[in-house]
Amino acid sequence: MPVTTAPTVEDLRRELSHLRGLDRSEARTMPSAFYTSEAFLDMEKDAVFRAGWVCLGHVGEIPNPGDYFTTELVGEQILVSRDQTGAVQVLSNVCRHRGNLVASGRGNQRSFVCGYHAWTYDLDGALKTAPLMKEVKTFNAKKCGLPQLNCEVWSNFIFVNLDGTAEPLAPQLGKLDAILHNYHNEERNLLFTDEAVWNTNWKNLTENFMEGYHLFATHPKTLQPMTPTQLCRKVPGDAAWTAYRSYYDPNYPPRGPFHKDMTED
Ligand code: FES
């Protein structure tokens, strides 16, 4: 029997370059190793989830000063809060003393008190009090705040860049902003959230939201009558984003009210 070895990250990158160079008429599904290789996933964690911008949530989840939620991204524990000035803060949720988690779940707090030795942090991560630490002459509270991670609010969505190396997000999404502008997301409230865990590679989830091809088969009674597959159009994106348009079936009752700036298109 021939011995087959798992493709290396370099093998997969070469394959990806090859696939990207194909003409549309030759398009095909990526090899399964893209979705199963642990080594490739490790590379993606650095290249995509640490070096890039990742959306953590919507500003409507923390509308008031003191509101917060906690989350995790490629093993990093994260605390998202709204401080007293109204600014959104994305902080490390790891206590600077002994690494205990500072907050859990979501809620509203005037400050964050670590449950282990009661070090207390402000909503922006600054260390306010550390019991009994005055006796340590070299202790500098200013250096012991929760690290503020590189964050940006774009179109009311909260993004983080874990390794702090990413270029500012908004300029990268300029063309997308032009498409979304007339929706006026900045005026929209958050009315509903849902959480789902996909027991799969992250790209399966992402790819699902990049196309309307599946609507007629997967959502024949809900999305297909409203925004049929046949009317979906790929939007020419760029390195930072991708999208498709799902046009309404003219026979479907309008779903308004829409913002007055919305056009037929
Ligand atoms: S680990 Fe947080 S106060 Fe000690």
Side-chain angles (χ1 to χ4, degrees):
M1 267 176 75
V3 178
T4 55
T5 53
T8 65
V9 170
E10 279 316 305
D11 291 339
L12 292 169
R13 292 187 82 141
R14 264 195 301 277
E15 177 74 6
L16 188 57
S17 293
H18 169 67
L19 290 175
R20 290 184 66 185
L22 293 176
D23 185 76
R24 283 177 61 142
S25 61
E26 299 174 291
R28 53 192 160 93
T29 299
M30 296 201 294
S32 59
F34 279 104
Y35 304 87
T36 58
S37 163
E38 287 291 329
F40 199 74
L41 181 61
D42 284 343
M43 184 276 293
E44 290 173 323
K45 284 180 181 174
D46 284 337
V48 178
F49 294 100
R50 293 194 176 91
W53 290 101
V54 178
C55 182
L56 296 177
H58 188 269
V59 294
E61 294 178 69
I62 47 171
N64 303 306
D67 288 348
Y68 75 94
F69 65 87
T70 59
T71 187
E72 180 262 335
L73 177 61
V74 288
E76 301 295 337
Q77 300 297 328
I78 296 174
L79 168 56
V80 182
S81 76
R82 189 174 296 270
D83 69 21
Q84 292 297 355
T85 70
V88 172
Q89 301 282 351
V90 179
L91 309 167
S92 166
N93 190 19
V94 179
C95 182
R96 295 302 302 280
H97 179 219
R98 287 270 181 83
N100 197 43
L101 288 184
V102 175
S104 62
R106 59 177 62 232
N108 183 283
Q109 303 268 16
R110 283 200 300 200
S111 54
F112 300 111
V113 184
C114 177
Y116 201 173
H117 312 89
W119 283 25
T120 300
Y121 299 91
D122 230 325
L123 298 172
D124 64 1
L127 182 64
K128 281 168 55 172
T129 58
L132 307 178
M133 291 300 290
K134 283 200 181 76
E135 295 176 26
V136 182
K137 288 196 176 51
T138 55
F139 179 69
N140 184 347
K142 287 199 172 68
K143 291 188 174 170
C144 292
L146 299 176
Q148 294 178 337
L149 303 174
N150 195 19
C151 77
E152 208 170 306
V153 173
W154 181 83
S155 202
N156 269 358
F157 290 96
I158 303 164
F159 288 81
V160 69
N161 160 232
L162 287 180
D163 74 3
T165 64
E167 295 295 320
L169 177 65
Q172 299 183 54
L173 300 181
K175 286 187 190 157
L176 181 60
D177 200 39
I179 294 170
L180 296 180
H181 177 80
N182 288 350
Y183 289 90
H184 290 284
N185 280 336
E186 74 284 358
E187 296 175 16
R188 293 178 167 213
N189 297 322
L190 182 70
L191 297 179
F192 173 78
T193 65
D194 189 23
E195 188 167 323
V197 176
W198 284 42
N199 191 18
T200 184
N201 182 270
W202 68 276
K203 293 189 292 295
N204 293 112
L205 173 64
T206 311
E207 287 162 1
N208 177 73
F209 288 102
M210 284 161 52
E211 47 92 347
Y213 180 29
H214 68 281
L215 301 185
F216 76 96
T218 309
H219 312 289
K221 295 194 176 143
T222 51
L223 296 177
Q224 175 64 14
M226 188 190 310
T227 54
T229 290
Q230 292 79 355
L231 295 184
C232 290
R233 294 288 176 271
K234 190 82 188 77
V235 179
D238 58 32
W241 60 275
T242 185
Y244 76 92
R245 289 179 189 269
S246 54
Y247 286 102
Y248 282 95
D249 187 323
N251 298 319
Y252 197 82
R255 275 175 81 209
F258 299 109
H259 195 283
K260 63 177 174 46
D261 289 350
M262 296 283 283
T263 64
E264 268 310 301
D265 187 49

